Amino acid sequence: QVRLVESGGGSVQAGGSLRLSCTASGFNNMPYCMAWFRQAPGEEREAVTGRNSYNSDTEYADSVKGRFTVSRSRDNGKDTLSLQMNTLKPEDTAMYYCAARAWCLGSWNLTTNYDSWGQGTQVTISS
């Protein structure tokens, strides 16, 4: 069974940095893609960044380009997708979710294409 576990959220002032991590397990050598989404109160969940497992192609939402960087590592059979967030803004405040989709089917930025989700980690940026 696929499992995604996020960590690293918190509260910082505008201009600060945070790093999120998501550890994935249970894919059993099946190719998959991972992504970060976020959801602010009263808003729809939106894609932040996505990364393929087989060719390292990476996508970013326009709102985070140049400020956020995603990376991927593997250790003891588990993949970790990390999100380095710099120059944070109050509008980055949201619950951040890690997601994964088997076989990397469909567009990276649609929530409906993802079949596994983490529990979420809160990011709060004060002005």
Side-chain angles (χ1 to χ4, degrees), residues 37 101 104-114:
F37 285 75
R101 68 191 196 279
C104 301
L105 298 175
S107 300
W108 75 275
N109 58 344
L110 297 180
T111 58
T112 51
N113 289 333
Y114 289 84

Side-chain angles (χ1 to χ4, degrees), residues 1 3 9 23 25 27 53 55 63-64 67 69 77 81 91 93-94 100 105-106 114 118 121:
Q1 183 175 350
R3 186 169 183 235
T23 299
S25 59
F27 282 99
S53 65
N55 63 11
S63 59
V64 306
R67 300 188 298 120
T69 303
L81 189 72
E91 51 263 42
T93 295
L105 298 175
Y114 289 84
T121 185

Side-chain angles (χ1 to χ4, degrees), residues 2-4 22-37 47-60 70 72 79 81 97-118:
V2 174
R3 186 169 183 235
L4 303 176
C22 172
T23 299
S25 59
F27 282 99
N28 299 325
N29 296 318
M30 177 174 55
Y32 62 98
C33 288
M34 296 177 72
W36 285 99
F37 285 75
V48 176
T49 181
R51 186 179 174 98
N52 284 354
S53 65
Y54 53 90
N55 63 11
S56 298
D57 281 354
T58 304
E59 302 280 354
Y60 294 96
V70 68
R72 189 164 178 155
D79 281 329
L81 189 72
Y97 296 91
C98 178
R101 68 191 196 279
W103 302 102
C104 301
L105 298 175
S107 300
W108 75 275
N109 58 344
L110 297 180
T111 58
T112 51
N113 289 333
Y114 289 84
D115 35 48
S116 300
W117 292 86

